[in-house]
Amino acid sequence: MTKIIVNADDFGLSEAVNYGIISAYKNGIVRSTTIMPGMPAFEHAIGLLKENKGLGCGVHMTLSVNKPILNCHKTIVDENGNFYKRITNEIIEEKFDLDEVYEEFSAQIDKVINSGVKVDHLDSHHHVHILKALRPVIERILEKYKLPIRGGFEYELNYDKVIPMTESFYSDNVTDDYFENFINEIKGHEIIDIMCHPAFIDENLVNSTSYVMQRIKEYSILTSKKVQEFLTRNNIELINYSKL
């Protein structure tokens, strides 16, 4: 039996995102989320987690939106103290002190832990953790926290808690027949993380990303009874990272 972790990214991005994720958990197939400690609706998200203890939660390490948790950085922020919006290997190699990245990621993880959340895995916004230039940072983070981490790396990682993922449920692939179209890919794994972004919409979301209306469509699919019945017929088990 294939086990899937339907993980809703961006918890904490806005209150509407938070409510959409919680509803997709209560009424659909989402069983896991990852929270962004430096975003405006972080505390709101923490409150919702305490009311929905069956929803697994990891940390969505962030390096490319809003501001860092720590205010002492010199190389990973612009002149206004904001993260750079587009992170590449070249930018990391040219500008970044990797110790600053490590300290920032540690502070983000610690903030979530200290908020009372039992953190069950790690991933990152815009998949920055998979970039080859950040390999030394991620190796240090995994040595420190020993948590499962979403895969997709540009590099080989000697770590036994890497969970394969698919980002195919995104953009043009967000259709009512997504699971029918991608069932062979899904069933090719014993366990797979399916990245998703269900949400309701508010002004904060609209002002922070261009990926807005697709989130409503994702929500509709992820809460569809037809989808839930299809997964049951195909012997797909829904889990979160704490069940590994």
Side-chain angles (χ1 to χ4, degrees), residues 43-79:
E43 295 297 339
H44 180 256
I46 292 296
L48 291 174
L49 280 176
K50 292 177 180 178
E51 298 170 1
N52 296 274
K53 297 186 181 298
L55 179 63
C57 186
V59 179
H60 203 48
M61 297 180 292
T62 303
L63 196 61
S64 58
V65 64
N66 209 24
K67 294 179 181 292
I69 297 297
L70 303 176
N71 60 9
C72 56
H73 302 309
K74 294 180 173 59
T75 69
I76 64 174
V77 293
D78 63 19
E79 63 275 11

